[in-house]
Amino acid sequence: MSPPKPFPVPDLDDRRFDELVAELQARLARHVPELAPLAPGDPVFALVDLFAWLTETILYRANRIPDRQRLAFLNLLQIPLRPARPASGIVSIDSTAHALPLPIPPEALLKAGTTSFSTIGEVQPTPLTLRIVVKRRLDEAALAAEGISLDQLRAQYGVEPAAFRPVTLHPGRDRPSAAGTCDGALHLGICLARPAPATQAERVRRALGGVLLNVGLAPDTEQEGGLATGLRARRLTWELAWWPDPEDAPQRVQYLPLEVVADSSAGGRRTGVARLRLPRDAEMLRATSALDPQFAGLGDTPPEAPADLRPDQLLFWLRLSCAEEPDLTLGYLGLNAVEVIGQGIARDVLLGAGTGRPDQRLELPDPDVDERSVEIEVEARRAFRAWTRVAHFAGSGPDDTVFVVDSADRSVHFGDGVRGMRPPAGARIRAAFYRHGGGSGGNLPSGSIRELHGASEKLAVRHEWPTRGGVDAESLDEAERRIPAFLSHRDRAVTAEDFAVLARDNPINPVARAEAVAGFFPGASLAAVRRNVPGVVSVFVMPPAPQAMAAAPRPNAGLLADVHAYLSARCMLGTELYVLSPRFVPIALALSLEVVDPTSEQQVHAEVERALLRYLWALPPGGPRGAGWPRGKAVEINELRTQAGRVEGVEAVNALRLFYRTTEQDPPSWRELTGVQALTLLDFELPELMAVSIRPGEDRPAPPRGFGPEAGAAADGPRPVPLDVQLFICVQ
């Protein structure tokens, strides 16, 4: 059942300036007739304008009374306005000189135009850059196209070869992925950002001994997502390539594990920074230069360095892999990274002086204050003493130095002397620290953050990954609209409908359709689904999307993760929560029909396509009843013929053929629905209309090009692999 529509809130008086002027002039003409012939510009008319302006100001203040009552009602219901949510991301800070400057401390200020960001954690700027190289596997067909056989490689190298091509991935532009590699690893070349003489390169190498290297990671949230569960940290393996004898035995390489001091990215599950401790012995930070290029990448040796690197520019190699995910895929990987949040920082702001009266209130000067970050100090014996922030005064005594922050009106409240101490009269009160700001204005594309406040000329800001997650503060109208839903679930997910409502109303990432199914257990994938499992709730979500062919509203991994995190904080203890994407079954239609007016045939055909697409669309107002196509509802040919026949201008639908893609074969193939009148779908499936072909007359219509049974046969055979680089060999 749809929520009830709110009653409109009228203005107490909706007259405007021009109407007030006209009314005053009419009254003057009536009560003082001798002023009627006066021309505009007369001083009397200036007085009329002045009184009209004053009256309009009074009316504006009177019309604010309903807003005040609405806020009071929200307070009585204990429904606070949602504060602004800051954006977050990662930024790299590089050293432009061939030296290591002092580390950048936490809470450093960065600027992106007028938007402020501050750092979380420390970063050691270095003059290093990252080159990501993978060993992309080549099959026998690709080798044969180059005139090379595996027998030739066996004879040349004396090993069972696995052919590969080294591919360089650029941070910020390419997605770092170990998929399709022969060793399941990302080889990270740590290089000087600018070429330097050998002596300078050696000084940088020695300075790196024992340094904490910050590596920024971000997940590939833009890829299509299928399933989101609890964010379990992923164990990544960071290793240093070390040659015990780099000159005489360059093929004998060992990989030494690096110490991971901290990893706020949970192994690349979310945007964050991994801090790696480099060996204190700088001699270990060295890549061999004696390896014959034809043996680069053989066995465990790193691949050949990118050709654009100058001599001595490559310092050493790291290797990144994941045992639990051999096809590790990330969205971003970069050096010298630090986490940033879209908030400014205020320190030592004098708020006022104590009055000695109960319930004293002081206002913070900045909007959108993060109440969790506020630190208040009150003067006592000529020194400032820190007070403690609490959620409320209910458990406080008369001697407890506590305060409460109200982020809605950006104020600080103190006790009444019974519950919470009153600040002494005349004692200065200051905000020692707080963060402020936030909102969608902090969601910036890469390259937006360029300035580090107070930085020297030897530091440069590099912003290669967009900041995300900023949400504007809730308006009064938005809060009022969610009152009915809030009163039903109190911001807690208990029933299946609660999960669906909360998912649709989440302020982080828009959801156009959400449905919760109790007991639906997908396991590792939808292929292993189980039903009626106690304590399990699965929520199917889809993002907003315009109606279009072959463009089903599939959620990406970021949407699934955001909704899961939002619901997890609101579900009951012991609930096993899954956020899923429905599985879309591609279908195609072929029709033959007759139109009433042959001159409008093209327009009628286009309208038939739109009607079928609207009928099969997964989001409102599509579907049979305007709520989107129901999950698991069979697609019936007779219903589709009826929808096509209802289009104005259609005289008769003579034939309709339905084609669907099956995943029972590898690769998937297209089949025609024969023998039955309905395509059966599972309860987690929805149709995706890929194409429609319409022909006039009564003949049997041909399937849309590329979507018939013959399309599956054409897809067989190996995909062409571009072979415009030299091939190398490695041992599996």
Side-chain angles (χ1 to χ4, degrees), residues 131-136 164-168 182-183 185-191 239-244 246 249-256 284 286-306 309 314-320 728-731:
R131 297 299 181 92
I132 307 172
V133 187
V134 295
K135 299 179 179 180
R136 191 76 73 206
F164 75 89
R165 178 194 301 118
V167 177
T168 301
C182 60
D183 59 355
L186 302 174
H187 297 268
L188 314 179
I190 310 300
C191 317
E239 299 170 302
L240 169 69
W242 175 60
W243 284 265
Q251 296 183 26
R252 292 176 51 198
V253 62
Q254 298 181 17
Y255 284 91
L256 307 179
M284 302 180 70
R286 192 179 299 275
T288 182
S289 59
L291 186 64
D292 189 328
Q294 69 172 326
F295 293 101
L298 181 63
D300 284 338
T301 57
E304 185 183 34
L309 293 178
L314 175 64
L315 299 184
F316 56 93
W317 285 96
L318 299 180
R319 186 171 71 175
L320 173 60
F728 293 91
I729 311 301
C730 73
V731 178

Side-chain angles (χ1 to χ4, degrees), residues 400-420:
D400 292 334
T401 54
V402 295
F403 65 93
V404 172
V405 179
D406 186 350
S407 58
D409 63 356
R410 62 185 189 187
S411 60
V412 178
H413 300 257
F414 297 94
D416 58 4
V418 177
R419 293 182 177 86

Side-chain angles (χ1 to χ4, degrees), residues 319-371:
R319 186 171 71 175
L320 173 60
S321 60
C322 181
E324 56 187 282
E325 293 184 24
D327 292 341
L328 174 67
T329 300
L330 300 171
Y332 175 76
L333 197 63
L335 289 184
N336 305 328
V338 63
E339 291 183 81
V340 296
I341 188 169
Q343 293 177 318
I345 291 176
R347 300 179 188 273
D348 300 333
V349 179
L350 188 63
L351 302 180
T355 61
R357 297 179 180 177
D359 301 320
Q360 184 175 358
R361 172 186 173 277
L362 293 172
E363 185 175 345
L364 296 168
D366 296 295
D368 296 325
V369 172
D370 183 355
E371 64 179 46

Side-chain angles (χ1 to χ4, degrees), residues 12-31:
L12 299 182
D13 194 326
D14 60 357
R15 289 178 295 173
R16 297 295 180 260
F17 176 79
D18 292 338
E19 297 170 328
L20 293 170
V21 169
E23 183 177 346
L24 283 172
Q25 289 178 346
R27 285 175 178 259
L28 280 175
R30 221 171 21 249
H31 296 288

Side-chain angles (χ1 to χ4, degrees), residues 528-582:
V529 65
R530 292 161 52 194
R531 295 168 178 81
N532 301 321
V533 179
V536 174
V537 176
S538 291
V539 183
F540 292 89
V541 297
M542 284 171 278
Q547 294 181 9
M549 294 282 185
R554 291 180 171 85
N556 58 30
L559 173 60
L560 296 179
D562 288 341
V563 174
H564 185 275
Y566 185 77
L567 294 179
S568 296
R570 290 161 174 79
C571 64
M572 298 177 64
L573 186 65
T575 303
E576 188 171 350
L577 174 65
Y578 295 88
V579 180
L580 312 170
S581 167

Side-chain angles (χ1 to χ4, degrees), residues 579-614:
V579 180
L580 312 170
S581 167
R583 189 164 72 186
F584 289 91
V585 178
I587 67 173
L589 303 176
L591 298 87
S592 60
L593 52 82
E594 299 177 18
V595 299
V596 176
D597 183 3
T599 61
S600 62
E601 183 177 86
Q602 295 300 323
Q603 293 88 333
V604 173
H605 287 185
E607 188 57 38
V608 169
E609 285 189 16
R610 286 191 288 269
L612 293 172
L613 176 62
R614 183 170 55 251

